[in-house]
Structures are given as structure tokens and as C-alpha cells.
């Protein structure tokens, strides 16, 4: 019987943990320093979305035993990559775009889970 590599799953787990810690630190910084410029917020959120999208894609392409843990990560990862790229291209328009981006991500996540 051929052994499956657990390296992609381990990379996905580490990526999820690192992104969670990063987002917690960014959240605390935004609360503590509310005068941070809007472009800085846009750049950091764009980078976070792109990295999290890559982590989701790595999780999807890992050989999960039942293929259920990461079943919708392909679509969600691609969407995060696209939204993160848009935010990086136009970071000053983040506040007008963030409501649409969050709405789209929540809607698609809900639709994929139905």
C-alpha cells in the first residue's frame, strides 16, 4: 500500500495558523493605531487575502484522506487571490470595495456550504 504524503496537509495547517495569528496582530494594530493610513490598510489586507488564498489552494491540492476538509478551498482560494489582487492594485479605494469583497466572500462561502 502506497503511503500518502502528509506534507501538504501540514503546510496547510501551518498556513492557517500563521494567517490567523497575522490577522489577530493586524486587528490589534488597527484598534490601537486608528490613524494608520488607508493605503497601508489596503496593502496589508490585499497581501493577507493573497496569502490566505494560496494557503487554501495548498489545502485543496493536499491528499486529504476523505477529501472533505478542503473540498471548497479551490473556489474560495481563487476568489481570495482575485480579491486580494484587486485590493493591492487600488488600495486607496479599499473602504468602498471592502463591503463588496466581504459580501461576496460570505455569500460564496455560504453557497459552497449549502
Amino acid at each position: 500500500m502506497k503511503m500518502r504524503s502528509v506534507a501538504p496537509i501540514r503546510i496547510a495547517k501551518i498556513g492557517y495558523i500563521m494567517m490567523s495569528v497575522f490577522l489577530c496582530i493586524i486587528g490589534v494594530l488597527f484598534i490601537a493605531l486608528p490613524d494608520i493610513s488607508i493605503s497601508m490598510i489596503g496593502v496589508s489586507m490585499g497581501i493577507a487575502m493573497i496569502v490566505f488564498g494560496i494557503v487554501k489552494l495548498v489545502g485543496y491540492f493536499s491528499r486529504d484522506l476523505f477529501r472533505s476538509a478542503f473540498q471548497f478551498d479551490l473556489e474560495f482560494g481563487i476568489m481570495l487571490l482575485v480579491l486580494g489582487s484587486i485590493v493591492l492594485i487600488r488600495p486607496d479605494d479599499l473602504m468602498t470595495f471592502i463591503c463588496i469583497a466581504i459580501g461576496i466572500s460570505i455569500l460564496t462561502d455560504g453557497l459552497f456550504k449549502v
Side-chain angles (χ1 to χ4, degrees):
M1 176 181 269
K2 186 176 178 181
M3 294 290 294
R4 294 178 186 232
S5 174
V6 295
I9 295 175
R10 184 170 290 141
I11 291 170
K13 282 183 181 182
I14 292 170
Y16 276 111
I17 292 169
M18 289 176 54
M19 283 306 301
S20 298
V21 169
F22 173 73
L23 291 175
C24 288
I25 291 170
I26 292 294
V28 168
L29 283 175
F30 289 164
I31 292 170
L33 305 169
D35 353 333
I36 294 178
S37 73
I38 197 73
S39 64
M40 180 64 179
I41 293 171
V43 168
S44 63
M45 292 305 293
I47 291 171
M49 280 192 257
I50 288 173
V51 170
F52 200 52
I54 292 170
V55 168
K56 285 197 160 290
L57 289 175
V58 167
Y60 177 78
F61 289 112
S62 67
R63 296 187 182 250
D64 184 19
L65 183 61
F66 298 108
R67 300 249 184 227
S68 61
F70 305 111
Q71 67 185 11
F72 297 116
D73 282 0
L74 177 67
E75 298 91 352
F76 206 62
I78 291 171
M79 185 194 64
L80 282 173
L81 286 173
V82 169
L83 291 177
S85 299
I86 292 171
V87 169
L88 273 180
I89 291 170
R90 307 273 314 239
D92 295 331
D93 297 332
L94 175 69
M95 287 311 179
T96 57
F97 182 73
I98 194 95
C99 292
I100 296 169
I102 290 175
I104 290 171
S105 67
I106 290 172
L107 178 67
T108 55
D109 188 41
L111 288 174
F112 292 150
K113 288 183 179 176
V114 167

